[in-house]
Amino acid sequence: MTDDASGLEDPPAEVLAAAAAAFGLLASSARLHLMWALSQGESDVTHLADRVGGALPAVSQHLAKLKLAGLVRSRREGRRQVYYIDDPGVLTLVRVMVGQLTARSQHAAAPVHRLRGIAARPVSPGDTRAGAPSHRS
């Protein structure tokens, strides 16, 4: 682990792998939509399916994956299973990311559709195209 200019140590490889797996789950627009809905308050699977426009079985499977990853939790209320996010860090992450991209798309300074192309294409270290991340230190 190396210190950077901020004085913070790099996280261990297993922490980075767990973070990558969590971000991988959030890379699905359906699961991200569920996370956004849950960031607004708890809900059962039926109301979530109605809100996001998904089929009940598909929404249930998405919620099961998010729960397994520890991103959402659930509790039983009678016959209903109520889902919620109880980690303030996860709430902040979802709200900031979706909020920033919403603001960008409304101001058209950095259209959201450009991000799809950047995320989808591999970038080599010598890539000088616009939007390619810099690999310089």
Side-chain angles (χ1 to χ4, degrees):
M1 289 187 225
T2 354
D3 287 341
D4 66 12
S6 69
L8 298 174
E9 288 188 11
D10 289 343
E14 53 275 358
V15 170
L16 291 172
F23 279 114
L25 282 172
L26 296 177
S28 158
S29 59
R31 284 191 287 270
L32 189 55
H33 195 173
L34 289 169
M35 292 296 291
W36 175 255
L38 289 173
S39 78
Q40 308 307 304
E42 61 186 33
S43 187
D44 66 16
V45 69
T46 303
H47 288 106
L48 284 168
D50 288 343
R51 179 168 178 176
V52 304
L56 199 61
V59 169
S60 290
Q61 287 181 0
H62 287 308
L63 289 167
K65 289 179 181 182
L66 292 168
K67 187 176 174 184
L68 226 128
L71 296 173
V72 301
R73 298 188 65 189
S74 68
R75 70 173 181 281
R76 178 135 331 258
E77 282 187 3
R79 293 174 38 184
R80 298 180 331 136
Q81 193 76 9
V82 176
Y83 291 87
Y84 59 98
I85 301 172
D86 73 342
D87 183 335
V90 171
L91 281 172
T92 300
L93 176 70
V94 170
R95 288 178 179 165
V96 167
M97 177 58 78
V98 173
Q100 287 294 316
L101 291 174
T102 300
R104 285 183 188 178
S105 69
Q106 290 171 348
H107 291 91
V112 175
H113 68 274
R114 279 198 307 188
L115 293 177
R116 289 189 205 122
I118 291 169
R121 67 178 163 87
V123 178
S124 63
D127 195 343
T128 57
R129 291 177 288 177
S134 171
H135 294 281
R136 289 178 247 159
S137 300

